[in-house]
Amino acid sequence: MKKSIKVFAPATVGNSKCGFDVLGFAVHEPGDVVTLSLLEEPKIEIVVIGNDHIPTQPDKNTCGVAAGKFLDRVAPDRGVKILLDKKMPVGSGLGSSAAGAAATLYGLNILFDNPCSDEQLLEFGLAAEAAACGAGHADNIAPSLFGGFILIQSYEPLKIKKISAPQNLYCTIVHPDVEIKTAAARKLLPGEIPLKTAVKQMGYLAGFIASLYTEDFELMKNSLQDVLAEPRRSQLIPLFDKALVSIFECGGLGGGISGSGPSLFALSVGQETAAKIAATWKNLYQKIGCQVYVSKINDQGPKIMG
Ligand code: HSE
């Protein structure tokens, strides 16, 4: 039995603009790398490199919570040492808390010879997200674990559907150098929404899902809309309106806030348009400071690095 493993798990774009808490997708970069070494005694040790602010107590760290849930179920007398190489910013809206947990769960399942189903891994990951964000939303952890676009069809019981993206669909991401905590961004949202707003959003989400299956990019463009979260959250993001307009000026299909922000994403047909948006955003956020990424949709999810 292998005693240690190194796993990469990808960043994700939660909500994908039109599917608040029920739609997310994975990209190829950035992402987190986790090295797991099994221990003979029941304890979880966490070491973090690349970020001084991430807690290392197992119950306050998403990798630790995920590992705890897994080990309780599979091997209560064993433990694990987790080396988390934090390669992506926290509080970025890129599913930073989920990527480490996804890498941990994927790696542990391999080390123990795949005792857990995808549904169980997701259940453990969701518990880790609940510990980090105060709400167990699956639109980051599920695509980080399984790749592609993931539709969360139901939370109770938890049911998901993976949808592979059109081959020539590209994503541009900008992460402006400001931090927004998901828990704080969730507090901005209303507890209830008017029926008219719900009807609008249902149409956008259904249209977007249809566009993924049919590769109807005009439908995708018209469906990339959010009347639920974006009107309340966009105020937190510097230069939001300018960044959004520039997507269309460059020929992109649309985009908006990635997860709870401050990162923004855009979807485009072809790499050239995606790179044009990246260059425009880099310029726009030059004074604030930013990181920019261009990637195809990541259909694979986690991968073994060693
Ligand atoms: N669906 C979550 C939210 C994603 O919008 O709060 C957080 O990354």
Side-chain angles (χ1 to χ4, degrees):
M1 185 171 152
K2 221 173 148 178
K3 288 222 161 71
S4 100
I5 192 167
K6 190 173 177 182
V7 177
F8 164 90
T12 46
V13 172
N15 303 334
S16 310
K17 180 115 174 176
C18 54
F20 180 75
D21 273 2
V22 298
L23 185 66
F25 65 89
V27 292
H28 285 283
E29 61 161 353
D32 277 344
V33 175
V34 154
T35 304
L36 307 170
S37 310
L38 291 184
L39 303 172
E40 296 300 330
E41 49 194 322
K43 68 172 182 183
I44 296 172
E45 281 175 28
I46 301 175
V47 177
V48 180
I49 53 174
N51 189 307
D52 296 336
H53 304 290
I54 295 177
T56 53
Q57 303 98 300
D59 60 335
K60 295 204 164 60
N61 178 298
T62 51
C63 300
V65 175
K69 295 275 171 197
F70 182 97
L71 291 170
D72 280 354
R73 184 79 56 94
V74 170
D77 54 338
R78 302 294 299 275
V80 64
K81 180 172 177 183
I82 304 170
L83 174 65
L84 168 63
D85 188 356
K86 202 71 205 156
K87 293 193 179 292
M88 54 190 284
V90 295
S92 59
L94 294 172
S96 172
S97 56
T104 302
L105 290 168
Y106 184 84
L108 281 173
N109 209 30
I110 291 176
L111 288 179
F112 282 96
D113 228 0
N114 297 307
C116 290
S117 65
D118 286 353
E119 288 76 16
Q120 282 172 317
L121 295 182
L122 183 56
E123 179 197 319
F124 304 150
L126 200 55
E129 282 289 75
C133 311
H137 59 90
D139 50 328
N140 292 117
I141 186 73
S144 193
L145 265 172
F146 309 124
F149 275 87
I150 300 279
L151 173 69
I152 295 107
Q153 186 265 332
S154 153
Y155 271 94
E156 288 174 4
L158 189 56
K159 284 194 192 303
I160 63 165
K161 170 76 186 159
K162 177 172 174 174
I163 306 166
S164 292
Q167 268 307 308
N168 48 351
L169 191 64
Y170 279 77
C171 175
T172 311
I173 287 174
V174 62
H175 169 242
D177 284 344
V178 290
E179 188 178 319
I180 297 176
K181 292 268 185 233
T182 296
R186 292 184 80 86
K187 283 200 182 121
L188 292 178
L189 305 179
E192 291 179 3
I193 50 163
L195 183 63
K196 217 171 150 183
T197 311
V199 169
K200 255 190 190 175
Q201 200 60 51
M202 283 194 290
Y204 296 142
L205 177 59
F208 187 81
I209 299 296
S211 77
L212 284 175
Y213 282 109
T214 56
E215 306 204 3
D216 179 342
F217 293 114
E218 198 53 37
L219 178 62
M220 190 175 282
K221 188 173 180 176
N222 292 332
S223 302
L224 270 169
Q225 308 215 44
D226 175 19
V227 289
L228 295 187
E230 190 174 280
R232 291 168 180 87
R233 286 176 167 178
S234 56
Q235 49 177 309
L236 300 176
I237 298 166
L239 303 169
F240 177 80
D241 291 338
K242 280 191 179 157
L244 202 61
V245 167
S246 65
I247 297 175
F248 300 107
E249 287 172 350
C250 293
L253 296 170
I257 305 173
S258 174
S260 53
S263 292
L264 301 175
F265 81 100
L267 292 178
S268 307
V269 180
Q271 191 171 15
E272 207 178 307
T273 307
K276 208 168 156 187
I277 297 169
T280 307
W281 280 353
K282 207 169 177 178
N283 204 22
L284 183 67
Y285 286 104
Q286 200 178 14
K287 276 200 186 134
I288 295 172
C290 69
Q291 294 85 47
V292 179
Y293 309 92
V294 174
S295 161
K296 269 192 170 189
I297 311 306
N298 177 347
D299 202 54
Q300 181 190 351
K303 63 178 179 215
I304 298 169
M305 312 282 288

